[in-house]
Amino acid sequence: MENNHDAKTPDENSCINLNGIQHHESLPTKEFKLVSEKEKKAVEEQIADPVFQISVKLPHKPYKIKIMVSFQEQVQDVRQSIVELPDTFQYSCFHLEHNGVRVNDFVELSEVKDLVPDAEMELVEDPYTEREARMHMIRVRDLIGAAGNRIDTLHGISAGLSLHDTIVMSEAISQNGKKLSAASSETSHALAGYDFDAPASTQTIVPPMQDSPPKTVKSVSVSPWNPPPHYLRQKGHLLYLQLTTNEGEQFQITSHISGFFVNKSSNSKFDPFPRQQPKNVSAHSLLILIEKLSPSFAASFTSLQEYNNHKDLLTNLPVTNTIPANPWMVSPSDSSFLAHQPDITRTQETYLMCGIENAETLRDWNEEFQSTKELPKDTVQDRLFRERINSKLFADFNDAAARGAVMVARGEVAPLNPTEMRDAQIFVYNNIFFSYGADGVGTFTSEGGDNAARIAVGKDLSGIRVVNQLDIDGLFTPGTVIVDYLGKRIVGQSIVPGIFKQREPGENQIDYGGVEGREVVAENAAFVPVFSTLSKALRVKKHAVWDKDGRKHTLEGSVETKGLLGTDGRKYVLDLYRLTPLDITWIEEHSADASDAQAKPSETDYPHRMTVLRPEVIETYWRSKMEDFVKTELQQRTATQVGPEKANDGNEAGTDGITKSNGIVNGKDVSSKVGNDAIAAEKQRVSSGPQERIDISGFDLTFNPDVFCGQTPTSDEDKFELLKDETEVRALCNFLYQDVIPELVRDLQAGEVGFPMDGQSLARLMHKRGINMRYLGRVATLADQQSSRLIALKDLAVQEMITRSFKYIANHYIKALPAVFATTCLAHLLNCLLGSELNQTPKPLLDKDMQEFYADAVWSFTELDIQRLRVEIENQVQLRFRYRLGNEWTKSLKHLQLLRDIALKLGLQLVAKDYQFVPQSKPHTNGHSNGAGHGTNGTSSRKKKKNGDLEMVSFSSDSLILGTPTTFSPDDIVNIIPIVKGACPKSILAEEALEAGKVSMMQNQKEIGQELLLESLSLHEQIYGILHPEVARVYHQLSMLYFQLDEKNAAVELARKAVIVSERTLGLDSDETILSYLNLGLLEHGNGNTKIALVYMKHALELWKIIFGLRHPDSITTINNAAVMLQTLKHYHDSRIWFETSLTICEEVSGDSSVNTATLCFQLAQALALDQEPKAAVNWMRDAYSIFLARLGPDDRNTKESESWLEQLTQNAVSIAKHAKDVQARRLRRIQFAPRVTLGTKPQPQVGQSSTSTALGGDPRDRNGPDLRSVDELLKFIESGSDTTKRSPTKTRSTRGNPKRRGGGLLRTVT
């Protein structure tokens, strides 16, 4: 179901409040340009298409149904809607007619003659073909729950699993019975008794035990009499099936062109003709036939539907347009969730899906890719159809290529050149060409051999993805996929016609670019226009190169980038791993002979010379220089207008204090702060004055990707030009090293952007800034030199370096092993790294009998011990990241978090249990410790405590047999899945609609803005399918936007979908899934469902424990939000505990005397007052006042307000002490805050995005500080216990202090 109308829940005519709209995240970039007025008008015309209702006449009960459609939908969308409705499950082979005329399935409804709203179409059953009969059989088996569990070579165990539905259900079960009394109702919330310091539990990401679904039939399978003999095929026989009902009866069924009927065959007798009356049961649908044959089927099928309806629809839909996420922790194989059931048809599914000849899966992938690219894209509908087909095609190709790569890695595909070395062997399977990502033929000998080849194929894939995104007319790329499996990197590509063609003598195999390395260079004028367009988009300079004979050739791209004219007449671009220049700064610093491009790296040099820069840093640098150019032009123009005497003043006023030299703004270096916001601000500033234009035709900044690659110019002019190109590239490299990387660290330190949670989010953040992962060591070094807030960044960087080094070592060992010994090797390596405290002399568990079958295998991993592995990891970290691990680095490991990172990078699926990393006798402290502070019932602690060293309680069963406990055994690794990387571009059309909707909202264009947002959602769903990471992200963004527009129900529904889709496509514990859960919790709280919100918050925190631990800079916001929710429920004591925990973490992250800590002290004082702890409240408010006074001075509003609070709380505490013996005084000092008095919750920003970009805006009081009302009003609550009057608008303080220093500062630092 690709077009989901249920998602369009917001009322189209609802009023949209745009007050407080501020900055939006993800403003249009190069990939997603802002739509022009023409495109915007086209989109408006499309969204003006109304949704209407039509009727469909059916041949069987219920005889008629009504469905909602729109004219822009295709007839096949109507077919899909019919197939998925419960009343019409039975239909699969049919066509639709309108006014007696058959309707083509592939036309739009707008093209159906005389079709109007409320029209009637008729469903007409078609005769079956063999293929349709097989598809019908598969569909019915899935519908009635008879399919059993499938063993998939590509998808892992529990692939595409979602836990959303089970979380709320499990919490409801655990809370059941707690509301029997008033006392118990006070603790009836999800966070009651939550232990912050408890170890993370792997059961958090494992589905709970569930009841088995109702069984509708015992079995339905292909009969042993299948396939029909030739003479019966002539009579319309298609398949022979066998059905065993719940009543124990067995029926032989014939699939005929007219439908299905019970025949007279038995297990020993063949008679496939219909039975005689009255036993001649038949039906057009197999589903109806089973219902007629089994009396209990109807009731059990209804029960099965009810069982499935308890789950969200999104949790049951198949993932079709992307590879589903595979959990790294799975239920044990003997659990009911993964119990292996007998199913004879499991072995027949390949036949059912592909036919006897297995010819239906053979596709001409290259022709499909290129034909799709050549589809028209003139109108919005053309673009929609083209991008929709493209997305599905890439998904199908990735799936097929990954399956083929797995077979190649396992040695199940014969090579085309079996006499060559293994790394040089090539394969063709399913019309896909496979090769190893290794230097099998010596192409990269001087670049670093296998290391360089592995990096090159990865860069080539990235280059192909960039070219696909640019979508240049006339330039084609092969479909490409990289699969990492069992230590091997395998490249799968569609077969370019002519790539294997033997050319005539004297002809080059390549038509443009380097033919044999750089020695032979080919030129072809036909490739110049398309390569020129590509080069302009990528800032590549047209430059000269020289072949081995010294002849000069002028190329539009790198000499390594090749052009091939296929036999189909299309121009293909190949080998795109050198689209950007080399990072010469890195090479010269970390290679002994960097000047010689042909020199082979030594053991201490960086492993390869394939250190190319990322396109993002080039774009950032280009924008920086463009900004400088525009500023210079403005300065010159201003100087010309105002005269030389006022030039200086004019420059200062005209550029807001910006001078060209070194990018200094008001005394601060902003040379690296570039991007869309800076350009947009400049445009807005210029447009605010007279309408003048800056001519940028004189600005030209491009880069030569072939500098420092051994080019030898012959003339002085060429030498000078090459030197100039080298200088520009050096400046670019220095910009990366000196500006971009420190800027990232500064932003994270200041809390300007969301903090990464794990290695994956850190890598995404660095790549988004254009920083290569080889700079992890520099990031860790810079983080170590800064404040305590960056301790988490250093820990993440170090853990990521260890993980990547371990992956390299593990790949080195397992790629030389037979596949059956991979788990043995990996378990031993994991024991040496993570189980060293439990067993200091682990030994691999090898099956000697099996080992004898592989005499040629390399068993070097058996010689590896703990010390040797540590040395290898230290060497790899030093070699690849230029970072030296400390002597005690193994003692600071976060075992579970490191295990997760390793499993995700190697594709491991482990049994979900609590692994024992340390001896059980080692003490471990759980719960809250009685710490310092100001007497808050022992629940507050300022003592730093790490959450990484987790005590586990299980060890491998195999080790028990041997009497030497180890953490892991080979049986703990139940599966190894391939890591698949594709080159599918993002949808430009869907992003344009999304950005146009955001801009319209900012411009106060209510109706068109909301319509564009809805259209963007529809486009995302149609192009990607509902279950796709990009759809999850747009659900997340739109949920926040709609909540700000007061469309709360729609916002919650979108947020819920974001959670489920994220779980199924990104992972149960990915950082984006955690953020989606936090967002859903905030929106449920804002919608009045605070108890449900706490369930989601608790689950998100448990996931956070698994991937990092709760001592994370951004967890302060989450814990604060939970405290606010508890206050809303009037659980003041629990709320106070959560505020205390938030403060403790803030002290660790920001220090004891930071403004953020003072703000949290302020909040905690309020919470203590609510919890009837007046003395402790005074002490914490005194702390807040002292910090504000020291950091901000006596005149700051924060200082004055905390001082006023301190005075009032002190007086109130004294008053309460005087009346302590007065029983009536208890009523006077009771504090009952209304929920609107508490601190508002704050949205959690996406990793790498600013906190202000998480929403359109909102009540500014929610961001300005810890208190939303005046001191007098709050104390009125403390003294009177209630607030019977509403605040007068004239008495409300409009400004409560500097938002950047209190609320804004907290938001930046905390989030």
Side-chain angles (χ1 to χ4, degrees):
M1 185 174 61
E2 295 181 345
N3 190 7
N4 183 9
H5 299 289
D6 295 337
K8 300 181 180 181
T9 48
D11 183 4
E12 296 178 358
N13 298 319
S14 60
C15 180
I16 304 174
N17 180 15
L18 295 176
N19 294 329
I21 292 180
Q22 295 184 357
H23 174 70
H24 291 279
E25 61 185 0
S26 303
L27 286 177
T29 60
K30 176 168 67 71
E31 292 84 357
F32 306 130
K33 61 181 181 180
L34 189 62
V35 292
S36 63
E37 290 299 323
K38 181 179 179 181
E39 291 171 323
K40 188 173 179 179
K41 184 177 180 181
V43 174
E44 292 176 17
E45 292 175 356
Q46 292 294 325
I47 65 178
D49 188 18
V51 176
F52 60 93
Q53 181 177 273
I54 64 171
S55 300
V56 179
K57 184 180 178 181
L58 306 173
H60 308 289
K61 289 183 180 180
Y63 299 114
K64 182 179 288 189
I65 59 171
K66 297 181 183 294
I67 56 177
M68 302 299 297
V69 297
S70 67
F71 281 117
Q72 73 184 51
E73 293 183 29
Q74 293 186 345
V75 177
Q76 64 179 351
D77 295 325
V78 180
R79 282 183 56 99
Q80 188 68 20
S81 298
I82 294 173
V83 168
E84 292 174 351
L85 289 174
D87 291 335
T88 51
F89 275 154
Q90 67 191 72
Y91 302 106
S92 67
C93 184
F94 64 91
H95 71 268
L96 296 174
E97 294 183 357
H98 179 58
N99 293 336
V101 179
R102 180 166 181 158
V103 180
N104 191 314
D105 290 341
F106 298 97
V107 301
E108 295 182 11
L109 291 179
S110 59
E111 300 177 27
V112 179
K113 186 178 180 180
D114 299 330
L115 183 68
V116 296
D118 298 322
E120 181 178 271
M121 302 183 78
E122 183 177 1
L123 185 151
V124 180
E125 294 174 332
D126 284 338
Y128 286 95
T129 63
E130 184 197 329
R131 181 180 183 278
E132 288 169 335
R134 288 189 277 107
M135 295 300 105
H136 184 78
M137 165 72 168
I138 294 174
R139 170 173 165 75
V140 169
R141 276 171 45 83
D142 287 336
L143 279 175
I144 65 177
N149 57 320
R150 292 184 172 95
I151 308 300
D152 198 298
T153 58
L154 175 60
H155 302 158
I157 302 169
S158 302
L161 178 66
S162 173
L163 298 179
H164 171 270
D165 292 343
T166 62
I167 291 168
V168 179
M169 188 182 306
S170 300
E171 190 63 35
I173 294 174
S174 65
Q175 294 294 330
N176 189 23
K178 289 187 177 181
K179 301 181 181 181
L180 300 177
S181 64
S184 63
S185 65
E186 294 182 1
T187 60
S188 59
H189 61 83
L191 300 182
Y194 186 80
D195 189 351
F196 292 96
D197 293 316
S201 173
T202 57
Q203 299 304 313
T204 303
I205 53 177
V206 176
M209 299 293 291
Q210 298 179 10
D211 295 333
S212 300
K215 201 169 184 64
T216 56
V217 296
K218 287 188 176 180
S219 69
V220 55
S221 61
V222 178
S223 169
W225 298 112
N226 194 70
H230 292 291
Y231 73 95
L232 290 177
R233 284 180 177 273
Q234 307 303 320
K235 298 181 181 296
H237 290 209
L238 304 174
L239 301 173
Y240 297 134
L241 310 177
Q242 184 172 285
L243 168 70
T244 304
T245 66
N246 281 344
E247 291 79 11
E249 293 188 79
Q250 187 181 86
F251 297 93
Q252 298 285 338
I253 299 172
T254 297
S255 171
H256 192 264
I257 59 172
S258 61
F260 298 82
F261 61 81
V262 178
N263 62 38
K264 293 184 285 186
S265 296
S266 65
N267 291 333
S268 58
K269 175 187 174 184
F270 180 62
D271 187 357
F273 294 99
R275 290 184 176 183
Q276 301 298 325
Q277 292 284 359
K279 297 182 179 181
N280 58 338
V281 183
S282 63
H284 187 268
S285 171
L286 180 60
L287 187 68
I288 302 302
L289 181 67
I290 297 175
E291 185 176 353
K292 291 180 179 180
L293 296 174
S294 174
S296 64
F297 176 78
S300 59
F301 184 55
T302 301
S303 300
L304 178 64
Q305 289 179 284
E306 293 174 352
Y307 176 88
N308 291 332
N309 288 337
H310 290 158
K311 300 179 181 180
D312 191 281
L313 177 63
L314 291 179
T315 63
N316 291 326
L317 286 178
V319 182
T320 57
N321 275 26
T322 187
I323 295 178
N326 295 283
W328 64 280
M329 282 279 181
V330 296
S331 301
S333 57
D334 57 351
S335 68
S336 60
F337 190 77
L338 294 178
H340 195 56
Q341 301 293 337
D343 181 14
I344 187 61
T345 314
R346 187 163 46 225
T347 61
Q348 303 168 345
E349 282 192 339
T350 301
Y351 157 71
L352 288 172
M353 291 186 289
C354 307
I356 296 177
E357 305 297 334
N358 195 26
E360 295 178 16
T361 59
L362 296 179
R363 300 165 61 176
D364 189 343
W365 295 107
N366 191 77
E367 183 60 31
E368 288 191 46
F369 273 118
Q370 315 319 333
S371 298
T372 302
K373 181 177 175 60
E374 291 172 337
L375 289 174
K377 49 182 178 180
D378 300 327
T379 66
V380 172
Q381 194 59 35
D382 287 341
R383 295 173 64 189
L384 170 61
F385 178 76
R386 183 174 180 265
E387 292 188 359
R388 182 176 178 178
I389 295 296
N390 205 40
S391 176
K392 179 61 177 173
L393 177 58
F394 270 99
D396 291 346
F397 178 75
N398 291 352
D399 186 275
R403 294 180 189 277
V406 169
M407 296 182 67
V408 169
R410 288 184 170 272
E412 298 173 11
V413 180
L416 299 181
N417 53 343
T419 59
E420 300 285 345
M421 295 178 57
R422 195 206 67 172
D423 289 345
Q425 290 178 347
I426 57 177
F427 310 81
V428 172
Y429 181 80
N430 200 3
N431 283 342
I432 301 174
F433 173 74
F434 293 98
S435 60
Y436 288 107
D439 192 22
V441 295
T443 304
F444 297 95
T445 301
S446 62
E447 302 285 347
D450 288 346
N451 284 307
R454 186 181 180 94
I455 297 297
V457 296
K459 296 297 182 184
D460 181 39
L461 181 74
S462 300
I464 291 174
R465 189 184 302 115
V466 169
V467 175
N468 289 342
Q469 190 69 58
L470 292 173
D471 197 14
I472 299 172
D473 292 335
L475 187 63
F476 300 87
T477 59
T480 306
V481 168
I482 290 179
V483 179
D484 292 329
Y485 183 65
L486 295 179
K488 307 175 184 71
R489 170 159 287 190
I490 299 170
V491 185
Q493 292 184 307
S494 62
I495 302 175
V496 176
I499 194 170
F500 297 123
K501 177 184 176 182
Q502 293 296 326
R503 302 290 182 106
E504 295 295 330
E507 287 186 349
N508 294 322
Q509 198 71 20
I510 296 297
D511 296 291
Y512 191 78
V515 180
E516 299 173 2
R518 308 181 190 95
E519 295 184 352
V520 179
V521 180
E523 292 185 78
N524 189 324
F527 282 85
V528 172
V530 289
F531 269 60
S532 175
T533 303
L534 175 63
S535 298
K536 288 179 181 177
L538 298 176
R539 321 293 185 199
V540 174
K541 181 179 181 178
K542 182 178 181 180
H543 61 282
V545 297
W546 292 264
D547 59 20
K548 62 181 179 180
D549 298 326
R551 286 193 298 267
K552 179 179 177 180
H553 303 268
T554 302
L555 298 179
E556 292 289 344
S558 169
V559 68
E560 304 287 357
T561 304
K562 301 171 178 60
L564 173 68
L565 186 62
T567 55
D568 57 359
R570 299 185 177 106
K571 301 179 185 67
Y572 292 89
V573 57
L574 308 173
D575 292 349
L576 292 163
Y577 54 82
R578 190 62 69 78
L579 290 178
T580 56
L582 290 175
D583 186 355
I584 190 60
T585 301
W586 179 273
I587 293 177
E588 290 181 340
E589 184 176 353
H590 304 300
S591 296
D593 196 4
S595 59
D596 186 0
Q598 302 299 321
K600 187 177 181 179
S602 66
E603 293 184 359
T604 57
D605 289 345
Y606 192 68
H608 58 83
R609 286 180 57 90
M610 202 58 62
T611 56
V612 295
L613 296 167
R614 294 188 62 85
E616 295 90 344
V617 75
I618 292 179
E619 190 66 20
T620 301
Y621 184 72
W622 185 89
R623 289 178 179 273
S624 173
K625 293 300 181 182
M626 166 65 84
E627 184 179 298
D628 291 343
F629 176 82
V630 171
K631 292 170 185 174
T632 303
E633 290 293 317
L634 287 173
Q635 289 175 356
Q636 293 177 354
R637 181 171 300 182
T638 304
T640 303
Q641 292 175 352
V642 303
E645 292 183 0
K646 298 182 179 181
N648 293 333
D649 295 338
N651 286 342
E652 186 173 340
T655 61
D656 295 329
I658 300 177
T659 63
K660 185 175 184 300
S661 61
N662 299 325
I664 301 299
V665 182
N666 297 332
K668 297 181 180 179
D669 183 4
V670 297
S671 58
S672 60
K673 290 188 177 180
V674 295
N676 291 329
D677 294 340
I679 298 297
E682 187 67 27
K683 288 180 178 179
Q684 183 177 2
R685 191 188 63 78
V686 173
S687 62
S688 63
Q691 296 298 319
E692 298 183 71
R693 295 181 178 273
I694 300 296
D695 181 15
I696 62 172
S697 60
F699 178 77
D700 182 26
L701 179 61
T702 52
F703 302 93
N704 182 351
D706 290 323
V707 296
F708 308 110
C709 293
Q711 293 295 328
T712 55
T714 54
S715 67
D716 293 339
E717 181 181 356
D718 290 336
K719 291 179 180 178
F720 177 79
E721 187 67 23
L722 184 62
L723 180 61
K724 180 181 176 183
D725 293 344
E726 291 177 349
T727 303
E728 195 64 66
V729 170
R730 287 186 185 277
L732 173 61
C733 297
N734 291 334
F735 175 74
L736 169 64
Y737 189 82
Q738 298 176 2
D739 293 280
V740 176
I741 299 175
E743 181 71 18
L744 170 65
V745 176
R746 286 196 296 269
D747 286 348
L748 291 174
Q749 179 183 5
E752 297 290 347
V753 296
F755 212 93
M757 299 182 185
D758 62 353
Q760 288 182 322
S761 55
L762 176 60
R764 285 201 312 272
L765 176 58
M766 291 178 63
H767 287 165
K768 187 177 181 180
R769 297 289 186 103
I771 305 172
N772 304 84
M773 298 309 292
R774 59 179 172 269
Y775 283 105
L776 273 171
R778 174 155 173 77
V779 170
T781 301
L782 291 176
D784 199 25
Q785 299 171 355
Q786 305 295 330
S787 66
S788 56
R789 175 178 171 81
L790 295 179
I791 292 177
L793 177 62
K794 179 193 172 184
D795 291 345
L796 276 178
V798 171
Q799 180 171 299
E800 184 68 6
M801 287 187 284
I802 294 173
T803 303
R804 288 173 177 262
S805 299
F806 181 89
K807 181 185 77 169
Y808 173 80
I809 295 169
N811 285 337
H812 170 72
Y813 286 113
I814 63 177
K815 72 179 180 181
L817 287 174
V820 293
F821 289 98
T823 56
T824 301
C825 175
L826 290 169
H828 178 61
L829 293 177
L830 289 173
N831 282 326
C832 291
L833 177 64
L834 297 175
S836 58
E837 293 186 55
L838 183 65
N839 187 334
Q840 297 184 0
T841 57
K843 300 294 182 183
L845 300 175
L846 279 174
D847 189 324
K848 299 298 183 182
D849 294 334
M850 290 178 60
Q851 190 176 2
E852 292 177 357
F853 285 101
Y854 301 97
D856 297 334
V858 180
W859 308 99
S860 57
F861 80 93
T862 59
E863 303 172 2
L864 198 68
D865 57 18
I866 292 174
Q867 187 58 36
R868 182 175 168 185
L869 178 62
R870 290 179 179 176
V871 171
E872 287 196 25
I873 290 176
E874 291 171 1
N875 291 340
Q876 288 299 323
V877 170
Q878 173 64 27
L879 186 66
R880 297 179 179 275
F881 306 103
R882 300 296 155 166
Y883 184 82
R884 189 173 299 280
L885 296 173
N887 296 328
E888 304 294 326
W889 65 271
T890 56
K891 296 183 179 180
S892 61
L893 292 179
K894 295 182 177 181
H895 295 98
L896 188 62
Q897 288 79 3
L898 184 57
L899 175 62
R900 173 183 177 271
D901 282 354
I902 290 172
L904 292 177
K905 283 183 170 54
L906 292 175
L908 308 183
Q909 290 191 296
L910 297 99
V911 174
K913 63 181 183 181
D914 291 330
Y915 291 94
Q916 183 182 0
F917 296 114
V918 296
Q920 290 183 335
S921 58
K922 187 173 181 177
H924 180 82
T925 304
N926 291 337
H928 303 284
S929 59
N930 295 331
H934 302 292
T936 57
N937 293 345
T939 56
S940 176
S941 171
R942 295 199 183 193
K943 182 179 179 181
K944 295 183 179 180
K945 187 177 184 64
K946 293 198 173 183
N947 197 36
D949 294 331
L950 303 173
E951 180 187 3
M952 300 300 175
V953 295
S954 296
F955 38 79
S956 68
S957 57
D958 291 347
S959 62
L960 285 176
I961 298 175
L962 299 176
T964 55
T966 57
T967 305
F968 302 94
S969 76
D971 290 341
D972 291 330
I973 305 174
V974 294
N975 191 26
I976 302 177
I977 55 176
I979 306 298
V980 183
K981 302 174 183 178
C984 181
K986 294 183 179 180
S987 168
I988 300 177
L989 177 63
E991 291 294 335
E992 284 177 353
L994 178 62
E995 298 305 330
K998 290 181 178 181
V999 171
S1000 297
M1001 289 294 187
M1002 295 177 67
Q1003 295 173 349
N1004 204 24
Q1005 298 176 357
K1006 303 177 183 179
E1007 296 182 3
I1008 184 61
Q1010 193 167 11
E1011 291 289 349
L1012 283 168
L1013 293 176
L1014 287 174
E1015 180 64 13
S1016 170
L1017 178 59
S1018 176
L1019 289 173
H1020 275 86
E1021 292 177 339
Q1022 290 183 68
I1023 291 170
Y1024 295 113
I1026 295 179
L1027 297 176
H1028 194 279
E1030 292 300 322
V1031 178
R1033 295 178 183 117
V1034 79
Y1035 281 152
H1036 181 87
Q1037 293 183 53
L1038 292 185
S1039 67
M1040 300 168 69
L1041 292 175
Y1042 273 108
F1043 194 82
Q1044 292 296 324
L1045 299 174
D1046 206 27
E1047 297 278 1
K1048 295 183 178 180
N1049 291 331
V1052 169
E1053 178 67 14
L1054 289 170
R1056 184 183 55 79
K1057 289 184 176 183
V1059 164
I1060 297 175
V1061 178
S1062 294
E1063 283 186 321
R1064 301 196 63 192
T1065 61
L1066 295 170
L1068 295 174
D1069 57 352
S1070 74
D1071 62 293
E1072 293 184 66
T1073 300
I1074 294 176
L1075 291 175
S1076 295
Y1077 266 111
L1078 294 174
N1079 181 55
L1080 177 58
L1082 290 178
L1083 299 188
E1084 286 282 16
H1085 167 67
N1087 203 28
N1089 301 320
T1090 302
K1091 286 195 173 183
I1092 297 297
L1094 291 176
V1095 174
Y1096 294 133
M1097 300 294 283
K1098 177 183 178 181
H1099 183 69
L1101 288 171
E1102 289 300 309
L1103 293 178
W1104 215 327
K1105 280 185 178 181
I1106 291 176
I1107 73 171
F1108 183 87
L1110 291 185
R1111 264 60 181 176
H1112 186 274
D1114 281 0
S1115 67
I1116 303 172
T1117 299
T1118 300
I1119 297 173
N1120 236 35
N1121 289 340
V1124 172
M1125 295 178 188
L1126 290 170
Q1127 277 192 355
T1128 304
L1129 295 176
K1130 302 187 184 301
H1131 294 293
Y1132 296 128
H1133 181 72
D1134 290 344
S1135 173
R1136 183 269 298 275
I1137 294 175
W1138 284 73
F1139 275 125
E1140 290 167 349
T1141 304
S1142 177
L1143 174 61
T1144 301
I1145 299 175
C1146 185
E1147 289 175 334
E1148 296 177 5
V1149 170
S1150 303
D1152 296 341
S1153 59
S1154 67
V1155 175
N1156 302 319
T1157 301
T1159 307
L1160 289 175
C1161 289
F1162 195 109
Q1163 296 174 16
L1164 179 57
Q1166 292 179 315
L1168 289 166
L1170 285 168
D1171 199 27
Q1172 302 183 16
E1173 292 283 349
K1175 293 183 179 179
V1178 170
N1179 291 333
W1180 284 110
M1181 189 60 70
R1182 184 179 295 112
D1183 278 4
Y1185 169 70
S1186 300
I1187 298 173
F1188 281 139
L1189 180 64
R1191 298 297 299 272
L1192 304 179
D1195 297 329
D1196 187 84
R1197 290 180 179 271
N1198 296 279
T1199 307
K1200 293 180 178 179
E1201 193 160 355
S1202 59
E1203 182 181 17
S1204 176
W1205 272 89
L1206 180 59
E1207 293 175 357
Q1208 297 292 336
L1209 287 175
T1210 303
Q1211 293 176 7
N1212 186 64
V1214 172
S1215 176
I1216 292 175
K1218 290 181 179 179
H1219 297 82
K1221 296 182 180 180
D1222 188 352
V1223 178
Q1224 296 299 324
R1226 296 181 60 86
R1227 181 185 63 83
L1228 297 177
R1229 63 186 176 116
R1230 286 183 59 194
I1231 308 170
Q1232 296 179 349
F1233 274 174
R1236 60 193 176 95
V1237 182
T1238 61
L1239 176 69
T1241 57
K1242 299 182 178 66
Q1244 199 85 29
Q1246 295 277 8
V1247 174
Q1249 295 178 356
S1250 62
S1251 55
T1252 56
S1253 67
T1254 57
L1256 285 171
D1259 191 346
R1261 294 174 300 173
D1262 292 343
R1263 300 187 300 271
N1264 280 353
D1267 58 303
L1268 300 184
R1269 304 180 67 179
S1270 66
V1271 180
D1272 296 337
E1273 290 174 313
L1274 187 53
L1275 287 175
K1276 184 177 180 181
F1277 276 93
I1278 297 175
E1279 295 171 352
S1280 64
S1282 63
D1283 183 13
T1284 57
T1285 61
K1286 296 183 178 180
R1287 287 180 292 169
S1288 172
T1290 58
K1291 295 182 180 180
T1292 302
R1293 300 189 184 185
S1294 59
T1295 56
R1296 296 206 165 273
N1298 188 344
K1300 293 184 179 180
R1301 288 190 173 179
R1302 186 198 298 173
L1306 174 64
L1307 188 59
R1308 286 198 311 274
T1309 303
V1310 170
T1311 60

